[in-house]
């Protein structure tokens, strides 16, 4: 261990990783922390106090001493996608799957015990830490959530790059760049390798003079180091692909025109679309995982990271000076993951139909798959059915249940063509026997109803689109035969469900008679939680629905039960006040249920909700 001066008022401490120190007077900002031994040697470089520590990624060699910094009250700032691997890592260790585990990320190379953090660093933006204006640049590669830091000091532009690149144009670890088990994506098993290539290219666009890596010597010629590294990484990628990989197309040509004013992002999961105004602005239809090289294994927050690379391409290629609005076709993460980042970086407003807005803004209320991890505030709530104006366009809003109950289609005229955006509703495929067929994309947990696709076929026929754009498939030129086929497939699906499910007992395709809201909540001992039950009478005649809360030992509900008469197939909504005992111990995910009967038919405990007591 020891100090090396790498620039005026810039020092490197040798530890489990390189710890960099930016000095101003007798105060300093650190990049990464290692074991924390640096705190015992500050006086050797004339520093009395560290104000902040900026972390490039969560790996233990970068952060294992952070508890020492926390004890001294030093500000700890971490990458947004990896925060829970630092300040909530106890939960990560408790819940991380180990049996039959196909998640090969190095997320277990995390802190052994969690440490509180001050906050997250602002990606794509500049913020003052101590005496320094520091820009945070997303640099996925070594980990999915890695960041780098750009600092101007003494006439030079420095980049602290974590483990993106080793000092002599290599990588510190190839194993760390394998984010997912070998599978069906063209880059499967090489997601981080591909991300490293893209991150290096984006880093060079920042015109940095010196790269300061977490391992290896300073890189005084960034272009030469990247020129050595990236061809080897591309050779490695191509050795496992059927066709060569083209990163330049991802970076430089992410958008392809559907019409001159409607563009499709070919680099994102799911596909997003940009509607361009002649006044310079853009409206985005969906915006999930931009510039994807393949999604990492697992489903925790660090495995799902939004980026904004294609927004810069809109400015560069099409003269877009602002992304004004983001519009969701439905609430799924691959369609909305980037909404909050768009708002934070570009001031983009989120406009959403009312039923989708409810899910986006309070995701913990809902028992649904594919929810984003944080609330997405909605700036303008649109009607479930109707129209609104954005710039020179009038855009129709149409309820579109099927893929999920919480979805909308949008209709608009663009460059003389009638466009309908349908999200993930369906995909056209070719069957060797039947010819062109529609793959109806229903998922029961998304709350699919038996006649939804027949209804959406009727909607498309009313809207008469020239082109149908969707979330995962190329734009489709609509014909009369296509509309006929949609109607036939929708009716076929509904008939199969009716012939397969019990006659005279109609719980819809979901198969459950009740739901509880909120589905997830956090309360303190002694609190009262208001729980709403939505219950459906599945019988072809009116009947009394009886609902009885099912509670942990010592908890109580007011009233103790409810009885309400519901018509044939009718849904009713009732509320209970659930009292948590004042002496309840802290516990995670206590179960609250509801037992349901309809007339003389006992359906049992049809729904549950999860309550964490803290």
């Amino acid at each position: 261990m020891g100090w090396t001066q790498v620039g005026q008022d810039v020092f490197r401490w040798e530890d489990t990783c390189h710890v960099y120190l930016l000095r101003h007077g007798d105060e300093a900002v650190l990049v990464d922390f290692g074991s924390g031994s640096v705190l015992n040697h500050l006086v050797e470089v004339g520093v009395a106090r560290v104000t902040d520590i900026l972390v490039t990624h969560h790996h233990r060699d970068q952060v294992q001493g952070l508890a020492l910094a926390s004890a001294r009250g030093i500000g700890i700032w971490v990458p947004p996608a990896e925060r829970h691997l630092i300040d909530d890592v106890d939960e990560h260790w408790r819940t991380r799957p180990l049996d039959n585990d196909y998640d090969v990320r190095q997320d277990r190379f995390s802190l052994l015990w969690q440490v509180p953090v001050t906050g997250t660093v602002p990606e794509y933006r500049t913020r003052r830490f101590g005496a320094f204006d520091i820009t945070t640049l997303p640099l996925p590669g070594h980990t999915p959530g890695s960041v780098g830091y750009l600092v101007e000091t003494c006439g030079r532009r420095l980049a602290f790059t974590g483990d993106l690149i080793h000092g002599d144009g290599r990588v510190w670890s190839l194993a760390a760049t394998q984010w997912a088990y070998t599978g069906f994506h063209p880059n499967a098993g090489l997601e981080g390798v591909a991300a490293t290539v893209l991150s290096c290219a984006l880093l060079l666009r920042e015109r940095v003079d010196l790269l300061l890596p977490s391992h290896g010597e300073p890189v005084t010629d960034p272009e030469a180091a990247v020129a050595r590294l990236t061809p080897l990484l591309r050779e490695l990628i191509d050795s496992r692909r059927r066709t060569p990989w083209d990163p330049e197309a991802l970076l430089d040509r992410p958008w392809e025109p559907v019409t001159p004013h409607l563009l499709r992002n070919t680099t994102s999961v799911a596909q997003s679309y940009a509607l361009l105004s002649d006044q310079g602005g853009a409206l985005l239809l969906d915006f999930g995982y931009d510039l994807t090289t393949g999604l990492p294994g697992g489903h925790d927050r660090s495995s799902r990271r939004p980026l904004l690379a294609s927004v810069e391409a809109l400015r560069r290629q099409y003269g877009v000076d602002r992304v004004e609005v983001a519009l969701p076709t439905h609430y799924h993460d691959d369609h909305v993951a980037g909404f909050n980042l768009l708002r934070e970086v570009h001031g983009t407003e989120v406009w959403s139909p009312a039923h989708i807005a409810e899910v986006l803004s309070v995701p913990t209320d809902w028992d649904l798959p594919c929810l984003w991890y944080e609330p997405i505030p909605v700036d303008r709530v649109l009607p479930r059915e109707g129209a609104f104006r954005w710039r020179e366009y009038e855009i129709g809003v149409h309820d579109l249940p099927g893929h999920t109950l919480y979805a909308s289609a949008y209709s608009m005229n663009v460059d003389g063509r009638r466009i309908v955006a349908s999200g993930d509703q369906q995909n056209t495929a070719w069957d060797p026997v039947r010819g062109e067929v529609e793959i109806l994309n229903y998922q029961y947990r998304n709350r699919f109803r038996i006649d939804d696709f027949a209804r959406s076929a009727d909607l498309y026929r009313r809207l008469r689109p020239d082109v149908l754009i969707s979330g995962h498939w190329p734009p489709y030129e609509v014909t009369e035969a296509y509309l006929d086929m949609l109607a036939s497939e929708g009716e076929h699906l509904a008939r199969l469900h009716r012939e397969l499910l019990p006659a005279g007992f109609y719980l819809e395709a979901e198969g459950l008679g009740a739901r509880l809201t909120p589905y997830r909540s956090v309360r303190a001992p002694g609190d009262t939680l208001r729980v709403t039950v939505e219950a459906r009478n599945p019988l072809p005649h009116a009947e009394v629905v009886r609902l009885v809360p099912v509670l942990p030992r010592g908890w109580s509900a007011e009233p103790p039960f409810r009885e309400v008469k519901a018509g044939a197939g009718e849904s009713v909504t009732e509320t209970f006040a659930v009292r948590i005992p004042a002496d309840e111990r802290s516990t995670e995910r206590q179960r609250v249920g509801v037992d349901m009967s309809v007339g003389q038919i006992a359906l049992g405990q049809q729904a549950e909700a999860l309550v964490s007591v803290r």
Side-chain angles (χ1 to χ4, degrees), residues 167-476:
D168 58 356
R170 301 171 186 260
V171 293
W172 179 241
S173 169
L174 281 172
T177 65
Q178 191 168 55
W179 299 349
Y181 205 83
T182 301
F184 299 106
H185 190 278
N187 291 332
L190 295 163
E191 303 82 6
V193 175
T196 298
V197 173
L198 296 173
S199 291
C200 285
L202 290 169
L203 181 60
L204 288 184
R205 293 181 181 183
E206 298 294 331
R207 303 192 180 281
V208 294
D209 301 305
L210 183 67
L211 305 185
L212 297 172
S214 289
H215 297 90
E217 292 305 307
V219 178
T220 57
D221 189 343
E223 288 192 7
V226 170
R228 181 194 184 281
L229 174 63
T230 54
L232 293 169
L233 293 178
R234 291 179 66 171
E235 186 177 345
L236 181 63
I237 293 168
D238 288 344
S239 72
R240 290 180 58 168
R241 288 175 58 100
R242 291 185 175 88
T243 57
W245 184 56
D246 184 4
E248 287 80 12
L250 296 176
L251 288 169
D252 299 328
R253 302 180 300 279
W255 299 94
E256 66 176 26
V258 179
T259 74
H261 287 80
L262 182 65
L263 313 175
R264 176 170 71 117
N265 185 349
T266 61
T267 75
S268 60
V269 175
Q271 291 176 149
S272 53
Y273 291 83
L275 180 62
L276 307 184
S277 168
D278 285 332
Q279 300 170 52
L283 176 149
L284 294 181
L285 279 164
D286 292 334
F287 198 81
Y289 302 115
D290 193 34
L291 198 65
T292 184
T293 58
L295 295 178
H299 302 283
D300 60 301
R301 180 63 177 85
S302 65
S303 70
R304 298 292 182 266
R305 182 189 196 178
L307 298 168
L308 298 179
S310 68
V311 176
E312 170 60 22
L314 276 179
R315 183 198 63 77
R316 188 175 62 249
Q317 289 182 268
Y318 295 94
V320 170
D321 59 8
R322 61 201 178 279
V323 177
E324 295 182 348
V325 174
L327 193 66
T329 58
H330 57 293
Y331 71 89
H332 285 170
D333 66 304
D334 58 331
H335 293 256
V336 301
F339 278 21
N340 282 340
L341 194 59
L342 282 168
R343 182 202 316 277
E344 293 162 6
V345 177
H346 295 291
T348 304
E349 291 190 354
V350 175
W351 296 2
S352 172
H355 62 309
I356 306 174
E358 292 174 350
V359 183
L360 295 179
S361 57
V362 194
T364 53
D365 273 5
W366 302 84
D367 178 16
L368 292 168
C370 311
L371 293 163
W372 186 238
Y373 304 89
E374 296 105 27
I376 299 174
V378 173
D379 301 285
R380 179 179 173 184
V381 177
L382 304 172
R384 193 164 179 162
E385 291 279 352
F388 68 95
R389 288 200 68 84
W390 174 75
R391 296 299 178 182
E392 60 265 42
Y393 299 98
E394 181 170 287
I395 301 175
V397 184
H398 313 278
D399 193 23
L400 190 70
H403 177 60
T404 172
L405 189 59
Y406 309 96
S408 290
Y410 301 103
S411 58
M412 64 202 83
N413 292 319
V414 186
D415 299 316
R417 308 215 72 194
R418 182 70 167 164
I419 308 292
V420 169
S422 62
D424 289 352
Q425 187 77 346
Q426 70 280 312
N427 173 32
T428 301
W430 183 262
D431 182 276
V433 176
R434 294 184 290 167
E436 192 175 60
V437 296
E438 198 70 0
I439 306 301
L440 304 182
N441 190 14
Y442 62 92
Q443 309 289 331
Y444 294 109
R445 269 201 66 205
N446 285 338
R447 304 202 67 179
F448 158 64
R449 299 173 305 179
I450 290 170
D451 291 305
D452 281 345
F453 287 93
R455 295 189 186 105
S456 66
D458 290 341
L459 172 66
Y460 298 149
R461 194 177 293 280
R462 293 197 306 274
L463 296 177
R464 311 296 299 186
D466 299 311
V467 179
L468 200 64
I469 59 175
S470 64
H472 296 274
W473 307 283
Y476 190 82

